[in-house]
Amino acid sequence: MSASLFPDLGSLYTVDRAGTRYALDDDRWRGADGSPLLVGPVPAPTPDTIDPAERSLWRYGAAIPVDPAFRTSLGEGCTPMVPLEWNGARVHAKLEWFNPTSSFKDRGVAVMVSHLRSRGARRVLEDSSGNGGSSVAAYAAAAGLDAKILVPAATSEAKVLMVKAFGAEIELVGGTRDEVSAEAIRQSAEIPYASHAWHPMFLEGTKTIAYEMWESLGFTAPDNVVVVAGGGSNVLGCDVAFTELLAAGLIEKRPRLFLGQPEHFAPIADTVNGLDPLEALAARTEARGADGLPARTPSMAEGSSIASPVRLPETVEAVHRSGGGAVAVSEEEIASATRDLVRRGLYAEPTSAVGAAALTRFQEAGVITPEQTTVLILTGTGLKSAERMAALY
């Protein structure tokens, strides 16, 4: 593949919410205003720039702003999209546990670690409820980098074991998922921050899931994409990719983006629906914390249990721009959807099943209909949530 098919890195930039631009080689993970960064417009891949010999997300290297000399790959991407009968309709299930560490996070981490490596990083820091940490640990090992991973003390043992096995230093942090993030930000003053929530290059990897849908569907866009949201990176990755493809005239319409969240951790869904997240939570629970505020009940969908997503306004805007929607689902709905997926041979973790529960709700409401082309993204495997899966049987 000719080097001319790769993006002109010198012309690209990142931008914060205030509109301030930074060079792509500026070693920052957030803007001067404290907001998260996005990479400025990157030309979309075209059918003739896809590298057919590359069986990984790097087949779309023409639209990934990383110097090819520093690519770190474990074969991430190119995950299967299989037919699935769901509530009487045929949908496409995108099985992201076929990624190297069994989670969609490998897409973003592969690109992010490759970028950090190109910037001379020798050590990286990540905070995660499990899947992100496993992925950063794996790709750091592949790239020859040291890694330190901060995880909530309640993270499932299987995910902690995976991080340790890859040789990363692990620190268990008490408190909420957001408190873990706060500790990571404090430590990022000393270690390059490879944050799947903050780093703009992470989204440049997650966007490849949408390229794959487009290619698998004969270079057309689906009508709907449904997914669980914690921090919203899959929603934003799809928004970035479909925006690129639409601008290039490679698709005729923007797919509608739909998301589900656990009802006690639904700030994106509530905001999409015009609700104040704290008031909505108060309406769902009578429990109160020592501060008098509504208390959140832990969800079996641990990977999406994020009370304060870094990119909340951007994710809400992406859903609105697409004409999609969002719902908060109960633990009973998550458990039911998990069991229903397993009965179909898909051993998805409860976090993944939040998207399936959301799909059911949108089907029942007549918003998603059988004649439409719908892709359900299943983000991770139940093998990494053994304790939570066991509780369902």
Side-chain angles (χ1 to χ4, degrees):
M1 197 173 186
S2 169
S4 65
L5 296 181
F6 297 105
D8 177 7
L9 302 183
S11 68
L12 299 179
Y13 58 87
T14 60
V15 60
D16 63 21
R17 284 179 187 154
T20 303
R21 294 185 180 186
Y22 310 90
L24 195 66
D25 61 1
D26 187 329
D27 293 327
R28 63 171 65 239
W29 50 270
R30 63 180 171 184
D33 62 350
S35 70
L37 300 170
L38 284 170
V39 176
V42 177
T46 59
D48 62 323
T49 62
I50 296 172
D51 184 354
E54 181 65 57
R55 196 188 181 282
S56 77
L57 60 78
W58 297 104
R59 68 195 282 108
Y60 309 110
I64 300 175
V66 172
D67 184 336
F70 293 95
R71 288 180 180 174
T72 299
S73 179
L74 294 169
E76 60 289 325
C78 292
T79 58
M81 197 162 74
V82 301
L84 174 68
E85 184 281 325
W86 198 256
N87 297 318
R90 182 179 183 272
V91 302
H92 302 270
K94 186 71 168 156
L95 307 184
E96 285 295 281
W97 57 72
F98 278 85
N99 280 298
T101 73
S102 302
S103 160
F104 84 93
K105 295 280 176 51
D106 291 343
R107 294 180 182 272
V109 171
V111 174
M112 177 175 63
V113 166
S114 297
H115 170 78
L116 290 170
R117 183 175 165 228
S118 77
R119 300 299 307 142
R122 294 292 176 265
R123 190 183 186 203
V124 294
L125 171 74
E126 160 75 314
D127 59 290
S128 168
S129 60
N131 281 328
S134 301
S135 187
V136 169
Y139 281 85
L145 309 179
D146 292 328
K148 181 177 183 180
I149 313 296
L150 277 60
V151 302
T155 299
S156 63
E157 292 183 8
K159 292 178 180 178
V160 172
L161 173 61
M162 199 171 188
V163 172
K164 290 180 178 178
F166 286 126
E169 176 186 355
I170 191 165
E171 181 177 338
L172 300 178
V173 180
T176 65
R177 178 67 182 82
D178 296 292
E179 289 171 323
V180 178
S181 295
E183 175 59 20
I185 289 174
R186 186 187 69 78
Q187 294 190 27
S188 71
E190 304 295 330
I191 311 172
Y193 195 21
S195 169
H196 67 274
W198 280 96
H199 205 287
M201 295 302 290
F202 186 85
L203 296 180
E204 291 300 298
T206 58
K207 73 180 183 181
T208 61
I209 193 170
Y211 295 158
E212 289 179 18
M213 295 176 200
W214 166 67
E215 185 179 2
S216 295
L217 294 171
F219 300 110
T220 62
D223 295 299
N224 313 301
V225 177
V226 188
V227 66
V228 59
S233 57
N234 261 319
V235 175
L236 289 170
C238 286
D239 179 63
V240 168
F242 289 131
T243 297
E244 292 172 356
L245 293 168
L246 191 63
L250 294 167
I251 57 175
E252 296 180 355
K253 59 181 174 54
R254 185 186 298 275
R256 295 187 299 172
L257 304 177
F258 295 92
L259 65 88
Q261 294 193 290
E263 61 182 358
H264 281 205
F265 294 88
I268 299 173
D270 289 335
T271 306
V272 165
N273 293 315
L275 304 174
D276 176 89
L278 195 59
E279 292 179 1
L281 176 62
R284 296 179 184 124
T285 179
E286 296 180 358
R288 294 294 182 270
D291 55 6
L293 295 176
R296 302 178 191 276
T297 301
S299 174
M300 71 180 73
E302 60 179 347
S304 55
S305 298
I306 300 175
S308 302
V310 168
R311 298 181 184 271
L312 187 150
E314 289 81 7
T315 307
V316 171
E317 182 181 353
V319 173
H320 284 160
R321 180 165 45 245
S322 75
V327 290
V329 298
S330 69
E331 293 299 293
E332 291 75 15
E333 288 174 290
I334 298 170
S336 177
T338 304
R339 294 189 186 100
D340 286 344
L341 287 167
V342 173
R343 291 190 191 102
R344 290 163 171 79
L346 300 174
Y347 201 66
E349 66 177 339
T351 296
S352 283
V354 173
L359 173 58
T360 295
R361 292 273 291 276
F362 288 117
Q363 288 175 320
E364 291 174 347
V367 176
I368 292 177
T369 55
E371 73 276 6
Q372 296 169 345
T373 301
T374 298
V375 177
L376 170 65
I377 301 176
L378 297 176
T379 53
T381 175
L383 293 173
K384 294 171 74 175
S385 293
E387 303 97 323
R388 287 161 180 78
M389 295 296 286
L392 297 176
Y393 295 95

